[in-house]
Amino acid sequence: MSTVKTAVLVSGGGTNLQALIDAKAADKLPHVEFVSVIASRPDAYALTRAANAGIPTCVAQRKGKTQEAFEAAILDELNQKQAQLIILAGFMSILSENFVKRYPRRILNVHPALLPAFGGKGYYGLHVHEAALARGVKVTGATVHYVNEIADGGEIILQKAVDVLPGDTPVILQRRVMEQAEWIILPQAAELTAQDILQR
């Protein structure tokens, strides 16, 4: 069976990465082959998760580098591993338009809201859930989308709704969105995209 060489870009704890690793172990990603986990920080615990799963790792440190140098380090690893698909899994650095254009319909991002709600500049991490609670919405969720050359744009692949419950705090809501949405639809989107790439 053919597989798509996939790199996962991370910045922190790697919970979304772990969901992908677990999905692979459960035979839910038959067309996905993880060839590299690239972290923007050397202390990212995601690197430990990758190592424990036997996935090669690389650090392309953002701090103290120009955007060009930072992206050059990522591209070098992607080229060495012949990566065909890139998954942004809690990757907290912005990629330039020039970078994104190299991988049309091959960069997936997971966002902790039902886009277009609570998307765009400033909406990342806990800020998304703070905004959802401040707005008083009854339903939130997560979205997996292709990243395109438009800064916050991209074609939506999958979305999953999650209820907002009385007494929710941003931290509690964040955890529920991860467990009930992000960790489910990110592996699904990865497999769907890998199948699509193999058919192109």
Side-chain angles (χ1 to χ4, degrees):
M1 180 182 293
S2 297
T3 58
V4 171
K5 293 182 178 181
T6 303
V8 184
L9 275 58
V10 298
S11 292
T15 54
N16 281 324
L17 170 64
Q18 190 63 55
L20 291 165
I21 291 169
D22 292 346
K24 182 66 177 175
D27 294 324
K28 293 179 180 178
L29 297 175
H31 298 92
V32 175
E33 176 190 357
F34 294 115
V35 295
S36 183
V37 169
I38 305 171
S40 61
R41 293 171 35 195
D43 61 343
Y45 184 68
L47 293 168
T48 300
R49 295 181 188 271
N52 289 342
I55 303 170
T57 63
C58 170
V59 176
Q61 190 158 345
R62 179 68 185 94
K63 190 174 181 180
K65 288 186 179 176
T66 65
Q67 185 74 18
E68 292 75 17
F70 172 57
E71 292 183 354
I74 296 173
L75 286 168
D76 183 58
E77 175 68 5
L78 294 174
N79 290 334
Q80 282 189 41
K81 296 297 195 299
Q82 299 179 316
Q84 303 162 278
L85 173 63
I86 300 166
I87 301 174
L88 309 181
F91 187 65
M92 302 305 289
S93 296
I94 300 296
L95 296 170
S96 71
E97 183 176 334
N98 285 336
F99 182 100
V100 172
K101 279 182 174 177
R102 294 170 179 261
Y103 297 94
R105 293 175 62 85
R106 290 175 183 262
I107 304 177
L108 301 184
N109 185 49
V110 60
H111 184 75
L114 297 174
L115 292 175
F118 308 111
K121 189 173 183 180
Y123 286 109
Y124 63 91
L126 212 55
H127 298 302
V128 176
H129 306 292
E130 290 168 349
L133 291 173
R135 187 78 58 83
V137 299
K138 301 300 183 188
V139 175
T140 185
T143 302
V144 180
H145 62 97
Y146 289 120
V147 177
N148 65 19
E149 60 269 21
I150 303 168
D152 296 308
E155 178 187 341
I156 290 173
I157 305 168
L158 289 174
Q159 290 186 309
K160 192 171 191 305
V162 175
D163 289 333
V164 178
L165 302 178
D168 272 349
T169 66
V171 172
I172 290 171
L173 184 57
Q174 180 184 50
R175 184 71 185 188
R176 187 181 310 117
V177 169
M178 287 192 295
E179 290 177 347
Q180 296 184 11
E182 292 180 52
W183 298 350
I184 296 169
I185 64 173
L186 184 57
Q188 289 175 348
E191 175 61 20
L192 286 171
T193 305
Q195 290 177 21
D196 179 57
I197 289 170
L198 290 170
Q199 291 170 2
R200 288 179 200 171

